[in-house]
């Protein structure tokens, strides 16, 4: 709770300096990319290549084809479930 | 907002699985639901409960949960400009910041949609707590969320949100560096550390550059 609140409580409502804004702008892709790889590869402090990677591959193709986010997410889950069921 | 509804379904399903896991590792039904409401951080809760279940101590469980939640430091900083009002109000609003609500509210270039952030956060919070309650009470006769592929839904979503942001070279290099650091650290560091390290390293690199 305190961790979530730290930024907004201290800085709340103030606009960031251009330099800070630049850092925050770069933070988003870095954090999103880190979330993607940890959620796909992490198998309890081990790198695991499993069905999730296939689901993510399908998602990447659909994103490139400009399929809406909802479809991408559903397809990734569907493919992963299907391969697991085989 | 459609993305937020899709997420709410996935989050509710994970809430159910958390409820099942927590009660099966000795948490009371009410305690599981209260934890979902107060901690409200799926990854931290899963980590803490699994460590307790595996026989790890309370200290280890709490430490893991806090490390996993450490990413909310930089995340909170990034949305600070849109969280307005007096500080107790900002504190309450900030509890609606989640990976998912933060991601759907992100408009790129360091800007965030406040209504999206808080709306999606509230919706996902309801889904998470309700899901936990269903899992804690209904327990055993529900399917395993992994058999539905839901654990692949989240990385797919984050990827879908990442791609439109890769508009300039700096964004691309930040994403590549972040992914590389996180991947490298997975086998060595405690859960949560790879994500924090990836974001902090980017900040440090930019400050110098």
């Amino acid at each position: 709770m305190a961790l979530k609140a730290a930024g907004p409580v201290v800085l709340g409502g103030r606009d960031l300096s251009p330099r800070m804004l630049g850092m925050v702008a770069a933070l988003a892709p870095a954090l999103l990319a880190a979330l993607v790889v940890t959620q796909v590869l992490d198998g309890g402090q081990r790198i695991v290549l499993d069905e999730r990677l296939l689901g993510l591959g399908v998602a990447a193709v659909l994103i490139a084809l400009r399929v809406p986010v909802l479809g991408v997410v559903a397809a990734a889950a569907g493919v992963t479930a299907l391969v697991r069921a085989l | 907002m459609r993305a937020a509804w899709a997420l709410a379904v996935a989050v509710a399903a994970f809430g159910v699985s958390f409820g099942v896991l927590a009660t099966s590792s000795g948490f009371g039904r009410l305690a599981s639901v209260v934890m979902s409401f107060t901690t409200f951080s799926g990854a931290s809760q899963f980590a803490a409960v699994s460590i307790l279940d595996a026989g790890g101590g309370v200290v280890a469980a709490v430490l893991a949960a806090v490390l996993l939640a450490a990413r909310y430091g930089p995340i909170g900083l990034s949305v600070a400009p849109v969280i307005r009002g007096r500080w107790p109000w900002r504190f309450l609003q900030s509890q609606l910041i989640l990976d998912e609500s933060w991601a759907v509210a992100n408009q790129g270039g360091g800007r965030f949609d406040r209504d999206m952030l808080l709306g999606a956060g509230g919706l996902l919070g309801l889904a998470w707590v309700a899901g936990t309650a269903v899992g804690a009470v209904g327990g055993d006769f529900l399917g395993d969320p992994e058999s539905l592929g839901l654990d692949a839904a989240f990385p797919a979503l984050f990827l879908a949100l990442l791609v439109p942001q890769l508009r300039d070279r700096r964004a691309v290099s930040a994403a590549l560096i972040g992914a590389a650091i996180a991947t490298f650290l997975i086998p060595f560091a405690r859960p949560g550390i790879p994500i924090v390290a990836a974001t902090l390293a980017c900040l440090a690199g930019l400050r110098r550059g």
Side-chain angles (χ1 to χ4, degrees):
Chain A
M1 275 188 157
L3 277 164
K4 280 190 189 180
V9 167
V10 175
L11 291 172
R14 255 170 270 165
D15 282 326
L16 299 174
S17 69
R19 193 176 183 189
M20 276 289 281
L21 202 64
M23 291 207 306
V24 170
L27 185 121
L31 182 59
L32 285 169
L35 281 168
V36 171
V37 296
T38 51
Q39 298 206 349
V40 166
L41 300 176
D42 194 346
Q45 297 203 21
R46 281 184 311 128
I47 291 186
V48 175
L49 302 178
D50 63 9
E51 299 89 346
R52 290 173 292 179
L53 200 57
L54 226 75
L56 190 71
V58 171
V61 172
L62 294 181
I63 292 166
L65 296 173
R66 302 188 175 276
V67 171
V69 176
L70 207 62
V72 171
V73 173
V79 167
T80 305
L82 200 68
V83 176
R84 272 195 190 130
L86 293 177
Chain B
M1 208 61 200
R2 272 174 48 199
W5 279 104
L7 275 173
V9 174
V11 165
F14 267 99
V16 171
S17 64
F18 174 74
V20 173
L21 175 70
T23 45
S24 71
S25 42
F27 269 59
R29 286 173 181 164
L30 188 61
S32 312
V33 178
V34 168
M35 187 185 188
S36 274
F37 188 72
T38 56
T39 310
F40 192 23
S41 171
S44 297
Q45 289 174 240
F46 269 109
V49 171
S50 339
I51 288 172
L52 289 174
D53 191 37
V58 173
V59 175
V62 172
L63 188 67
V66 169
L67 287 177
L68 275 168
R71 66 181 182 284
Y72 285 117
I75 286 183
L77 271 179
S78 70
V79 296
V82 296
I83 308 277
R84 293 167 198 278
R86 297 171 64 83
W87 78 262
W89 180 227
R90 295 205 297 270
F91 182 88
L92 286 177
Q93 289 182 340
S94 67
Q95 299 312 313
L96 294 177
I97 304 169
L98 306 171
D99 292 334
E100 293 85 2
S101 62
W102 175 83
V104 294
N106 189 339
Q107 299 175 316
R111 288 183 310 279
F112 290 87
D113 181 333
R114 175 180 179 280
D115 296 339
M116 191 64 148
L117 180 72
L118 301 180
L123 181 67
L124 295 171
L126 284 177
W128 176 241
V129 175
T132 306
V134 170
V137 177
D140 306 329
F141 37 147
L142 293 155
D144 172 11
E146 288 202 4
S147 70
L148 299 175
L150 284 173
D151 52 339
F154 289 99
L157 171 86
F158 291 129
L159 184 66
L161 295 165
L162 168 64
V163 169
Q165 298 206 20
L166 302 177
R167 277 174 301 210
D168 53 31
R169 268 184 51 196
R170 193 161 72 161
V172 173
S173 54
L176 289 177
I177 295 168
I181 293 173
T183 307
F184 178 74
L185 284 177
I186 286 173
F188 304 111
R190 287 171 171 279
I193 292 288
I195 294 171
V196 179
T199 54
L200 292 185
C202 269
L203 293 187
L206 282 171
R207 192 169 284 159
R208 244 177 281 122

